[in-house]
């Protein structure tokens, strides 16, 4: 890893992180496209109802992977190799246990979970099939996130990117094959998504065979006292994923009341495209996390400031491009996922895309700052930002806006929440820079 936090080293880590996370988010985007073509608006609504469980599973994998890999990087920067190996050993053990928990949920509780998420008689069968299949691959999803984080932090950002992108491309191909030629419907969509992390792990396994790798398994018991140090740096990643799940869950419930399954299907289009947009910022923050952690571990405050400037400027530029593309092409984008040409669905989706994507200027700032704080040893501040934008502000803002603006109030909730949190984030940043 380059110790100099130059623009070149920033790009070397940020670009693979962004591309890789976009690749991972294409798991669900591919499902959205092929499910909308294969099962119509009902399948699209069922998929959207199931997504909060995927967010939870992915978030726990990111928390364990990113958190433990951050601790690993700081330990290596300080010359503590045994402690670095202990971090990887504990991450592998925790990831396996969490994955087995989700597998059991899929086998034993897919039906109750589908009802808990708000299905009706029309969407319940498809949602329960999707959940049961997806959750059974829980160990692979979580262990893939752990390996991705450690390979990236061990000087292999390009290999991590390749694992994510090849896994995602395989998902797209399998989605088509399973849903159309083989006629497997929702089960095929979930199966294709579940196999993708296995392919990604096969790509990552090349790093494990390298004699130069910096992490190894130790013979040791799991020590509970290490959990805060391993998981706390990854909490913003978990909260970010949970926020997506909370938003999906609450918005689905409100839209069912205001606009029925058509409204939920429209939100399925908006939410899945927003998932890809959010993945860009998550990829940016996780991509540069090794550099931030290394600079923090060695006390290079000038490098930290330079990395922060690069991150914020990049986030604002990305948000500008995303909003411009979505605003101009909202109609054609919605039409891609509207296989029946439903004009009501199209109207909801086009308006929703244009309002919702206003929030990514502030969301980019919040995501990058939360990750930067956590990677530089200020986990409390990162956690607070993530908690405010992902959990605390959403319910009251959603209720207030929908009382006055109906369905448009649902779309406006995301940009409003992100703007409120951005004000608090800037205050926090100002105090932090004054102290340092």
């Amino acid at each position: 890893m380059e110790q100099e936090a130059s623009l070149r080293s920033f790009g070397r880590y940020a670009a693979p992180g962004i591309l890789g996370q976009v690749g991972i988010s294409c798991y669900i985007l591919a499902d959205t496209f092929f499910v909308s073509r294969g099962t119509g608006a009902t399948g699209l609504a069922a998929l959207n109802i199931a997504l909060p469980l995927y967010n939870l599973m992915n978030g726990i994998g990111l928390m364990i992977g990113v958190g433990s890999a951050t601790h690993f990087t700081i330990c290596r920067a300080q010359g503590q190799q045994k402690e670095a190996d202990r971090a990887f050993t504990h991450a592998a053990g925790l990831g396996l246990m969490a994955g087995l928990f989700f597998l059991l949920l899929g086998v034993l509780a897919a039906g109750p979970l589908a009802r808990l998420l708000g299905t009706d008689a029309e969407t319940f069968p498809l949602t329960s099939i999707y959940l049961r299949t997806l959750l059974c691959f829980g160990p692979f999803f979580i262990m893939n996130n752990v390996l991705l984080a450690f390979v990236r932090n061990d000087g292999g950002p390009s290999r991590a990117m390749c694992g994510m992108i090849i896994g995602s491309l395989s998902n797209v191909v399998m989605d088509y094959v399973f849903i159309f030629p083989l006629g497997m419907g929702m089960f095929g969509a979930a199966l294709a998504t579940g196999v993708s992390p296995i392919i990604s792990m096969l790509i990552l396994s090349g790093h494990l065979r390298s004699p130069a790798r910096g992490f190894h398994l130790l013979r040791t018991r799991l020590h509970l006292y290490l959990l805060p140090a391993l998981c706390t740096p990854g909490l913003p990643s978990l909260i970010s994923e949970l926020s997506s799940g909370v938003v999906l869950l609450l918005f689905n419930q409100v839209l069912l009341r205001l606009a029925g399954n058509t409204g939920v299907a429209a939100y399925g289009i908006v939410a899945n495209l927003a998932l890809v947009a959010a993945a860009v910022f998550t990829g940016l923050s996780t991509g540069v996390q090794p550099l931030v952690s290394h600079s923090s571990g060695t006390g290079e405050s000038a490098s930290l400031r330079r990395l922060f400037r690069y991150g914020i400027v990049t986030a604002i530029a990305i948000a500008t491009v995303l909003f411009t593309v979505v605003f101009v092409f909202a109609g054609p984008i919605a039409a891609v996922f509207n296989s029946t040409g439903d004009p009501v669905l199209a109207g909801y989706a086009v308006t929703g895309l244009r309002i919702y994507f206003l929030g990514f200027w502030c969301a980019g700032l919040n995501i990058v700052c939360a990750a930067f704080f956590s990677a530089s040893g200020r986990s409390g501040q990162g956690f607070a930002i993530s908690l405010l934008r992902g959990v605390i502000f959403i319910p009251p803002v959603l209720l207030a806006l929908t009382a006055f603006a109906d369905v448009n109030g649902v779309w406006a909730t995301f940009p409003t929440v992100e703007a409120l949190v951005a004000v608090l984030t800037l205050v926090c940043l100002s105090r932090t820079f004054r102290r340092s």
Side-chain angles (χ1 to χ4, degrees):
M1 186 187 300
E2 299 174 50
Q3 295 187 20
E4 176 77 21
S6 65
L7 186 59
R8 182 177 179 181
S9 62
F10 175 86
R12 177 173 173 253
Y13 277 82
I18 292 170
L19 292 174
Q21 281 294 331
V22 169
I24 283 184
S25 69
C26 286
Y27 282 153
I28 302 301
L29 190 61
D31 281 351
T32 303
F33 175 75
F34 288 115
V35 166
S36 69
R37 294 290 169 177
T39 61
T42 301
L44 192 55
L47 175 64
N48 203 46
I49 291 170
L51 281 183
L53 259 296
Y54 170 81
N55 292 126
L56 175 62
M57 182 168 60
N58 195 49
I60 288 177
L62 285 172
M63 179 189 70
I64 297 170
V66 172
S68 300
T70 299
H71 186 68
F72 157 81
T73 303
I74 293 173
C75 289
R76 288 202 72 196
Q78 296 173 347
Q80 302 173 21
Q81 182 59 48
K82 187 173 181 180
E83 189 65 23
D85 289 339
R86 197 188 307 276
F88 174 66
T89 303
H90 279 68
L94 289 172
L96 185 58
M97 288 189 290
L100 291 174
F101 170 74
F102 282 106
L103 187 153
L104 289 175
L105 277 183
V107 172
L108 302 176
L113 285 172
R115 291 190 179 91
L116 185 65
L117 291 171
T119 57
D120 57 18
E122 190 177 10
T123 55
F124 173 78
L126 296 178
T127 303
S128 59
I129 288 171
Y130 191 87
L131 282 177
R132 182 175 294 109
T133 308
L134 193 73
L135 292 175
C136 284
F137 287 90
F140 300 104
F141 278 108
I142 292 181
M143 291 305 297
N144 183 48
N145 275 325
V146 171
L147 278 179
L148 284 168
F150 274 87
V151 170
R152 183 189 304 115
N153 283 36
D154 197 33
S158 297
R159 185 183 292 273
M161 178 192 69
C162 288
M164 289 187 283
I165 291 178
I166 292 173
S168 297
L169 289 175
S170 68
N171 178 53
V172 173
V173 173
M174 288 186 291
D175 259 326
Y176 171 77
V177 173
F178 291 165
I179 292 176
F180 293 106
L182 298 181
M184 298 169 71
M186 287 293 282
F187 170 72
L191 181 62
T193 302
V195 172
S196 296
I198 300 175
I199 295 174
S200 175
M201 290 172 69
L202 291 174
I203 303 298
L204 298 174
S205 66
H207 188 86
L208 300 180
R209 295 191 295 271
S210 171
R213 76 180 188 276
F215 55 87
H216 310 82
L217 288 173
L218 294 177
R219 288 190 175 184
T220 181
R221 293 181 299 173
L222 292 178
H223 298 287
L224 295 179
Y225 72 86
L226 285 175
L227 295 186
L230 297 177
C231 294
T232 301
L235 280 176
S237 297
L238 171 62
I239 297 300
S240 180
E241 285 294 313
L242 285 181
S243 71
S244 298
V246 169
V247 169
L248 281 167
L249 190 60
L250 291 176
F251 284 23
N252 285 338
Q253 298 297 321
V254 173
L255 286 167
L256 276 171
R257 176 173 56 84
L258 295 176
N261 282 332
T262 302
V264 175
Y267 182 55
I269 297 172
V270 175
N272 282 286
L273 290 167
L275 182 69
V276 177
V280 175
F281 298 104
T282 301
L284 170 63
S285 57
T286 57
V288 300
Q289 174 266 318
L291 293 174
V292 175
S293 296
H294 187 276
S295 297
S296 178
T298 54
E300 299 171 9
S301 58
S303 295
L304 284 173
R305 287 174 176 269
R306 194 154 52 244
L307 287 167
F308 177 76
R309 288 198 301 270
Y310 294 156
I312 294 301
V313 170
T314 304
I316 292 173
I318 290 170
T320 302
V321 172
L322 286 173
F323 177 76
T324 302
V325 170
V326 167
F327 186 86
V328 173
F329 298 104
I333 290 171
V336 170
F337 299 95
N338 186 7
S339 60
T340 60
D342 186 339
V344 178
L345 175 61
Y348 283 143
V350 169
T351 303
L353 285 168
R354 288 173 172 164
I355 296 175
Y356 200 95
F357 271 70
L358 282 168
F360 278 107
W361 275 293
C362 292
L365 170 71
N366 294 329
I367 292 171
V368 170
C369 288
F372 187 89
F373 281 134
S374 297
S376 59
R378 299 174 177 85
S379 299
Q381 292 162 302
F383 177 71
I385 292 171
S386 300
L387 193 64
L388 287 171
R389 64 180 291 267
V391 179
I392 294 176
F393 279 178
I394 290 173
V397 171
L398 177 63
L399 291 175
L401 291 180
T402 53
F404 293 101
D406 204 50
V407 173
N408 286 340
V410 176
W411 310 135
T413 297
F414 173 71
T416 303
V417 167
E418 295 294 347
L420 291 172
V421 176
V423 173
L424 299 177
T425 298
L426 291 173
V427 172
C428 189
L429 281 172
S430 175
R431 291 179 177 177
T432 299
F433 280 121
R434 280 204 303 268
R435 289 171 183 169
S436 62

